[in-house]
Amino acid sequence: GSSTSGEMGRLMDRVMKDLMQTFPQLEDNIICTQIYGPVRSGLTHCPARFAIKGNRPETSYPGLFVGGADLTVGDSFSASIVGGWMAANAAMGYSMIDHVYLKKNLTSDLEQFMEEPSLATVRDGVVVEDVAVPFKEVKVDEENATKAAESSKEE
């Protein structure tokens, strides 16, 4: 049984309800339940953390992958994105050999189906640049530019 109360107790009740609906054969066969948390900061940022054998997206449970900043060197939003990318690649079956040597990963797969974005769109029959500051190519006549620069110095 569970000795938790409050939010943790409600969370445990919800998890157990979902578990029993999914796996009814577990009814009356669960000896102990525990819930820990909330864990807000993840793993400790020390050198020993990177030697942990299981600190990778794959788990010992088939089809279960983990992601997040704990898989990377940093503890930041961008590290969380990289950890998620690592988990997605693991779910797709890509290994480090695929990524490093074969240059094959989730990103390279997606690039095959993406097109370069167009910087111009047509709105109401008019071509409109889709950038904050439109780029206009200006051809400079060097002879006239030199004369203009010299005349501005004289003034």
Side-chain angles (χ1 to χ4, degrees):
S2 174
S3 62
T4 57
S5 62
E7 288 182 30
M8 297 297 250
R10 286 191 297 276
L11 177 61
M12 177 62 80
D13 292 341
R14 182 174 171 192
V15 169
M16 292 304 295
K17 179 182 173 191
D18 290 346
L19 186 67
M20 292 306 140
Q21 285 177 345
T22 307
F23 301 103
Q25 67 271 24
L26 293 179
E27 189 77 43
D28 299 325
N29 290 315
I30 296 178
I31 297 169
C32 178
T33 60
Q34 293 180 340
I35 190 165
Y36 296 98
V39 179
R40 298 180 197 280
S41 61
L43 297 174
T44 303
H45 289 275
C46 64
R49 158 186 158 183
F50 301 104
I52 299 171
K53 184 178 181 182
N55 193 16
R56 55 182 38 97
E58 299 86 0
T59 67
S60 57
Y61 301 100
L64 179 64
F65 301 90
V66 296
D70 288 336
L71 296 176
T72 65
V73 177
D75 184 25
S76 63
F77 177 73
S78 58
S80 296
I81 292 172
V82 171
W85 180 84
M86 291 171 65
N89 278 285
M92 295 297 295
Y94 291 125
S95 68
M96 188 56 77
I97 291 172
D98 291 322
H99 178 66
V100 174
Y101 297 108
L102 303 176
K103 305 293 184 205
K104 186 160 177 53
N105 56 55
L106 185 62
T107 307
S108 64
D109 286 351
L110 291 173
E111 285 176 343
Q112 295 178 32
F113 303 103
M114 297 178 75
E115 296 177 12
E116 283 290 322
S118 172
L119 296 178
T121 57
V122 178
R123 293 185 192 136
D124 299 325
V126 178
V127 176
V128 179
E129 293 271 342
D130 195 16
V131 292
V133 179
F135 174 76
K136 293 183 181 176
E137 187 175 337
V138 178
K139 295 193 180 201
V140 177
D141 181 6
E142 289 185 29
E143 185 177 322
N144 288 335
T146 305
K147 288 179 184 176
E150 288 173 1
S151 67
S152 67
K153 286 180 186 177
E154 293 173 5
E155 294 176 0

